[in-house]
Amino acid sequence: MHNDNVDSAIKVRDEDELERAIHAAMFSPLGKRHPIVIKGKRAFEEMVKERNRAEYEEVERVQVEMLIAAKDDMEELKKAIAQASDVLGSSHPAVEAARLDLKDLRDAANAQEYQNLCDYHERNIQDAASKFDEEGLAWAISRADKAGLGPAHPIIERGKQQLSQMQRDRTKRERRAREVESLRLLLLAMKIDLFGGNANSQRPQDTSRSSESSLSSSLAASIVLDEPAMLEYEDSVKRWDANVWLAEAGSWEAAEHEIAELQKTLKKSKIDLGELHFVVLAAYNRIREMRDALHRAQYKEIEQYHISKIAAAAASGDLEELDKSVRLAAASEMSWQHPAVQQGKRLYEEGRKIRVRILREEQENHSQLELAAAMEKATVTFSASSPWAHP
């Protein structure tokens, strides 16, 4: 009977009926260790395991479906992973697979966020570069670096290259502007006006357009004149005359001032133009010609002054004044080799010889007179003391 009850419950897979049949058999004369009881217990354990397995599989299915449904939404997937970890365990394959999916989502989100960051800063850098805004470009590069791109990022590297090129271009423009201005001032100091302004004006109101039209850049990055300006420059150089310039200066002081101003302008201009620029070399020649003309005129005036002094002293017959005039002339730029100094020296020597001869003649005449007087006195004395003298 107990065996039939147990087999019947096992056949219908009824846990409650099987549990009652096992309980009845255990407390019957069969006892707990009877094979029928043991068979019933084993069957009951298998049935419980099957039920638990079925329930777990159902829970697992639900959790897996939730993980699959949330695999495209990072926040929902985080919640599903947390719930599945509590229910299925953190090492369940579905949970681990979901974690990989979450990592992929997070990586994709981070990559997209990083790409958006790169695109944003690249737009800022390109906008500043397209506007040739050097300060804005430097600020955009610095901002991108601090935002996390890093100094070696290709976007920052390209920005730095563009910034370096802008700085080089600005340096070239500034250098060219300095060269143009230096050349303009040097030409004006040389009284050569190629810019349509007044040669005496140091700062025309607008010389940029005329300067650009009269100047061009050679392959050596040196400012040169274009053909029309070059022809005008050469014509101005040919027309210039040092003697005319000196006459127009009016005085030695004014001429020396113009030379000093040209030297000052040349000293500043050659820093930008270079020592070998043809206008710089022409300025050196102009200064030399101006100095030569000034020295010639000054020498001529000094020469005329000393010649007149020597002539006046010679005409007056004053040998001391003549000697003084000759020595002053020799001490000046005329020197002892000057013909006028030599002539004055000869006149002085001749005058000194004449004066010596006259003094000697005067001394001789004086001596003769003294001798005649002495002889006359001696004759009178002798005559008075002679015995033959008349009473």
Side-chain angles (χ1 to χ4, degrees):
M1 181 185 67
H2 290 290
N3 187 39
D4 292 339
N5 293 336
V6 170
D7 289 339
S8 175
I10 292 173
K11 185 177 181 179
V12 298
R13 312 297 295 175
D14 188 347
E15 292 181 13
D16 295 334
E17 185 178 350
L18 180 59
E19 185 179 10
R20 287 194 297 272
I22 293 171
H23 186 270
M26 287 175 57
F27 292 97
S28 70
L30 297 177
K32 295 181 179 181
R33 297 188 179 276
H34 194 277
I36 295 175
V37 175
I38 293 173
K39 181 180 70 171
K41 287 182 178 181
R42 289 177 179 173
F44 182 79
E45 291 176 355
E46 289 294 331
M47 292 174 65
V48 170
K49 288 179 180 180
E50 288 180 3
R51 178 175 55 79
N52 292 336
R53 187 182 303 112
E55 292 177 354
Y56 179 80
E57 288 176 356
E58 179 63 20
V59 171
E60 183 182 40
R61 183 186 64 78
V62 172
Q63 294 298 324
V64 170
E65 289 178 355
M66 292 176 62
L67 291 173
I68 293 174
K71 69 177 183 178
D72 295 329
D73 189 336
M74 187 183 302
E75 296 300 325
E76 292 296 328
L77 184 57
K78 286 180 182 180
K79 295 177 181 179
I81 289 174
Q83 183 176 349
S85 298
D86 295 338
V87 175
L88 303 177
S90 61
S91 60
H92 191 279
V95 176
E96 292 182 350
R99 286 199 184 97
L100 294 177
D101 292 338
L102 179 62
K103 181 178 181 299
D104 292 339
L105 288 176
R106 186 181 293 113
D107 291 343
N110 291 338
Q112 185 61 41
E113 182 180 358
Y114 184 74
Q115 185 62 42
N116 294 337
L117 180 67
C118 293
D119 294 342
Y120 171 75
H121 288 289
E122 185 175 15
R123 286 194 301 271
N124 290 340
I125 291 174
Q126 292 304 320
D127 289 344
S130 62
K131 296 176 181 178
F132 299 98
D133 184 359
E134 185 176 333
E135 183 177 354
L137 181 56
W139 178 81
I141 292 173
S142 175
R143 187 178 178 186
D145 186 9
K146 295 178 180 179
L149 271 65
H153 194 279
I155 294 176
I156 293 182
E157 288 292 333
R158 288 195 298 270
K160 288 180 179 179
Q161 293 174 0
Q162 291 172 325
L163 179 61
S164 298
Q165 185 62 43
M166 291 173 63
Q167 291 173 342
R168 287 194 294 270
D169 293 341
R170 174 176 55 80
T171 302
K172 289 180 181 179
R173 291 193 301 271
E174 292 175 352
R175 183 173 64 247
R176 177 176 174 81
R178 290 196 304 269
E179 290 174 350
V180 171
E181 182 64 11
S182 296
L183 182 57
R184 183 185 70 83
L185 293 177
L186 184 57
L187 289 173
L188 289 177
M190 295 171 65
K191 302 299 178 63
I192 301 175
D193 182 17
L194 303 181
F195 306 105
N198 185 2
N200 296 323
S201 174
Q202 293 298 319
R203 290 190 175 273
Q205 292 183 358
D206 185 8
T207 60
S208 58
R209 181 176 300 178
S210 57
S211 299
E212 290 296 330
S213 63
S214 300
L215 300 172
S216 60
S217 179
S218 70
L219 295 177
S222 174
I223 295 297
V224 297
L225 299 174
D226 58 17
E227 184 175 357
M230 190 66 186
L231 294 175
E232 184 177 351
Y233 164 79
E234 292 176 350
D235 185 58
S236 299
V237 171
K238 291 178 181 178
R239 290 198 310 268
W240 187 83
D241 184 82
N243 295 324
V244 174
W245 160 77
L246 188 60
E248 292 177 350
S251 64
W252 307 143
E253 291 78 9
E256 289 175 352
H257 177 71
E258 287 191 24
I259 293 174
E261 288 297 320
L262 181 55
Q263 285 178 320
K264 183 179 178 181
T265 305
L266 175 60
K267 184 178 180 181
K268 295 180 179 178
S269 299
K270 70 181 181 181
I271 296 175
D272 297 320
L273 299 176
E275 289 280 357
L276 299 180
H277 194 279
F278 69 95
V279 178
V280 173
L281 298 177
Y284 277 119
N285 292 332
R286 176 68 60 85
I287 291 173
R288 184 173 60 254
E289 292 176 3
M290 294 167 74
R291 283 176 175 170
D292 292 344
L294 179 60
H295 290 165
R296 284 195 302 269
Q298 291 175 337
Y299 178 81
K300 186 175 181 181
E301 181 175 324
I302 293 173
E303 183 183 43
Q304 291 176 351
Y305 170 77
H306 287 290
I307 289 175
S308 63
K309 293 291 288 185
I310 291 173
S316 66
D318 189 346
L319 292 182
E320 285 74 13
E321 186 65 25
L322 179 59
D323 180 58
K324 180 180 178 182
S325 300
V326 170
R327 291 183 180 277
L328 289 174
S332 68
E333 296 181 359
M334 295 172 64
S335 79
W336 286 102
Q337 305 301 324
H338 193 277
V341 177
Q342 293 290 328
Q343 181 67 22
K345 185 178 179 181
R346 286 195 296 270
L347 292 174
Y348 173 76
E349 293 294 335
E350 291 176 0
R352 189 174 62 82
K353 290 178 180 179
I354 292 173
R355 186 171 67 176
V356 169
R357 186 172 63 250
I358 292 174
L359 289 175
R360 184 162 55 264
E361 290 176 355
E362 289 177 353
Q363 289 177 355
E364 290 177 356
N365 292 334
H366 182 70
S367 298
Q368 290 177 0
L369 291 174
E370 288 182 347
L371 180 60
M375 290 180 66
E376 183 179 358
K377 183 177 179 181
T379 300
V380 173
T381 304
F382 178 76
S383 299
S385 62
S386 173
W388 295 282
H390 297 284

